Amino acid sequence: MTEHLGPAAGDLPAGLAAPLTRAALARPVLEVAADLLGCHVVHATPDGAVVVRLTEVEAYAGPGDPGSHAARGRTPRTAVMFGPPGHLYVYRSYGLHWCANVVCGPDRTASAVLLRGGEVVAGGALARARRPTAREDRDLARGPARLTVALGLDGASDGHDLLAGTSPWLLGRRPGDEVHAGRVRRGPRTGVSGEGGDGTRFPWRLHLEGEPSVSPYRRAAPRRPRGRGGPAGEGAGGEGAASGRLERPPAPGGPPGRRLS
């Protein structure tokens, strides 16, 4: 792992361009999701910074999307999704894991992009201190729950503005971060049951081909009582969907992938 960025607390890391613009995130959710691949999320602290290059995301379109937390409209929990783009929507999946989304689309549309996985490109020692059970560098932010831990995200991060330049968390793009459209692969969203998990209607999991930090695909587990669908499959995927603990995706129609211990 290459340690090539080393900011002071609160500074924009060297080599990272200014945060993305709000206009760039105010577009349709699938366009934003594709453009976030290759972008960098930075967490700056007095101990240094952790920088994650995004390699896997999922799109959720708000009301009208059966897989979204906002499918039934605005609630106290989802209020930030109905606000302006560029803010973090952070929620706990099954009471076990934090998952982080970037609010996008026009104000009040409640679209969001789940940050499913990425490569730690700076601050590896700090990320590993937060994730001491990671077996390899590729696993530090491989899956949405791992990514939030590596970036120090939790419920207190909900609502933070990623574009303001004053938040500990920043979302930006460096020269050369753009990825060729031919590298982007699309498929069903991980761990989402029912209509929202239909890969024909909603092939809204996007990832970069050939990246070891992309988490394995996992079909939806049976819903728990009173469960709700949504980003990372809460009520439809549980711990496995959030943590990415399958070693490899199951073959179509075949047995499930082998679990890691």
Side-chain angles (χ1 to χ4, degrees), residues 27 57 127:
R27 297 174 299 135
V57 297

Side-chain angles (χ1 to χ4, degrees), residues 123-202:
L126 181 54
R128 185 163 285 282
R130 294 170 176 170
R131 291 264 300 114
T133 59
R135 296 185 178 183
E136 301 179 41
D137 285 351
R138 70 169 190 175
D139 296 322
L140 288 171
R142 185 177 182 233
R146 295 170 176 177
L147 181 147
T148 56
V149 174
L151 284 169
L153 291 162
D154 57 21
S157 316
D158 187 45
H160 272 282
D161 188 349
L162 289 164
L163 312 183
T166 56
S167 168
W169 295 276
L170 300 170
L171 174 65
R173 188 192 299 278
R174 303 180 308 176
D177 281 352
E178 298 82 1
V179 298
H180 191 278
R183 290 195 61 204
V184 179
R185 296 290 177 265
R186 300 171 185 253
R189 296 181 288 200
T190 297
V192 178
S193 65
E195 292 181 73
D198 185 340
T200 301
R201 289 186 59 197
F202 298 99

